[in-house]
Amino acid sequence: MAIRINPSILSADFVNMERDLGAIATADLAHVDVMDNHFVPNLTFGPQMVGRIQDVSPIPLDVHLMIDNPERWAPGYAELGAYSVTFHAESTDNPVAVARRLREIGARAGLAVKPGTDIETYLELMPEFDQILVMTVEPGFGGQSFIPDVMPKLVLLDQARKKSGLDVWLQVDGGITLDTIVIAAEAGADTFVAGSSVYNSGNPEQAIAGLRAAAHTAHKH
Ligand code: DX5
Ligand code: ZN
C-alpha cells in the first residue's frame, strides 16, 4: 500500500512561501488550503497566489477548497496545473458535475467531508473521484486536535474501495501527528495531510520522514 505525506502550507510563513515550499521537497504533494471566509470562518488566498505556488513548488499541488460555489471556482485551480483539486460535499448540490469537469481538465478530483457529514450517501459516487478527504478536524484552522470519532468513515470507505477494486486515495486532514497518523492508517487512510506537526517541528524533512515511517508501520499490522 502506497503512503503519501502531504504537508499543509497553511502552517508555512506566507511571506516566505517559496522557502517553505522548498523545505517540504521530500514530501509527496504540497497541500494548499483555499478558504473564502464563507464556507469556513477564515480566509487564505485564491487563484493568483496558488498560481505562483504552482510555479515555484518542487512537488505537485493538492488543493483543498474550503469555499462556496466550487462549480464556479474549482476548474480554475485544475487549469493552473494542480495535481488534485478537492472540494467539499457540503458546498455543492452537484458534486459529480464538478468532479467530471476537474477530470476533463486533467486534475485528480477529490471530495471532502466535514466531521459531522455522513459518508454513506457518497459511497456510490466513488467511481467519480480519485480521492476522498475525511476531515479529522472542523475545517478552517490549523493546529486543532484530531477527532477520532470520524474513523468509522474511513473503515467504510476502505471496505467500499476494496469491494469496488477502485484505486481511490483515502485522505485525512487535521491534527495529524506521529500518534494520530497510526490511528488513521489503521482505519484505512493512505494519504496524510499535516500542517503544524511538519512546519512547527523545526525540521520539516525529519518530520515528514517520521510521519512516513509511522504510517508504513501501521499499515503492516
Ligand atoms: C484545516 C486545513 C488543514 C490544516 C491542518 O482546515 O484543511 O489542511 O492545515 O493543519 P494541522 O495539521 O495543523 O491540523
Ligand atoms: Zn486542508
Side-chain angles (χ1 to χ4, degrees):
M1 169 72 76
I3 297 290
R4 283 154 294 264
I5 306 294
N6 301 358
S8 169
I9 58 163
L10 186 61
S11 291
D13 177 351
F14 280 22
V15 297
N16 285 294
M17 191 55 87
E18 188 168 9
R19 180 198 70 189
D20 283 2
L21 283 161
I24 57 165
T26 55
D28 296 278
L29 297 134
H31 183 83
V32 178
D33 288 308
V34 175
M35 306 186 192
D36 66 355
N37 202 28
H38 288 271
F39 182 74
V40 287
N42 196 8
L43 183 66
T44 54
F45 39 63
Q48 188 181 356
M49 179 68 174
V50 178
R52 287 297 292 140
I53 291 170
Q54 171 76 34
D55 290 342
V56 302
S57 178
I59 52 176
L61 303 190
D62 174 43
V63 173
H64 176 197
L65 299 177
M66 285 160 276
I67 61 170
D68 287 336
N69 200 0
E71 292 86 344
R72 163 72 180 84
W73 296 105
Y77 293 93
E79 280 156 8
L80 286 172
Y83 183 77
S84 61
V85 179
T86 298
F87 58 93
H88 271 265
E90 304 87 357
S91 68
T92 175
D93 293 329
N94 201 345
V96 171
V98 181
R100 288 185 181 171
R101 182 79 194 108
L102 291 170
R103 283 177 159 183
E104 214 171 79
I105 299 166
R108 290 171 61 89
L111 185 72
V113 288
K114 296 205 268 187
T117 301
D118 283 341
I119 200 67
E120 279 84 351
T121 49
Y122 297 105
L123 291 176
E124 63 185 28
L125 301 187
M126 230 181 201
E128 302 283 348
F129 288 91
D130 302 291
Q131 72 178 12
I132 311 284
L133 166 52
V134 174
M135 289 302 298
T136 42
V137 297
E138 282 302 330
F141 299 92
Q144 304 180 79
S145 299
F146 180 84
I147 303 172
D149 298 4
V150 306
M151 290 301 104
K153 286 194 242 185
L154 286 164
V155 174
L156 272 180
L157 283 162
D158 194 29
Q159 282 167 356
R161 104 169 129 176
K162 279 183 182 137
K163 214 169 123 190
S164 67
L166 291 164
D167 180 27
V168 182
W169 297 358
L170 300 184
Q171 185 176 60
V172 285
D173 179 9
I176 298 297
T177 64
L178 282 177
D179 297 322
T180 59
I181 198 168
V182 173
I183 299 168
E186 281 174 350
D190 52 48
T191 306
F192 306 90
V193 176
S196 46
S197 71
V198 168
Y199 277 108
N200 299 349
S201 66
N203 187 338
E205 195 176 329
Q206 198 175 24
I208 291 161
L211 289 168
R212 202 185 285 291
H216 270 297
T217 311
H219 259 296
K220 280 184 199 130
H221 293 155

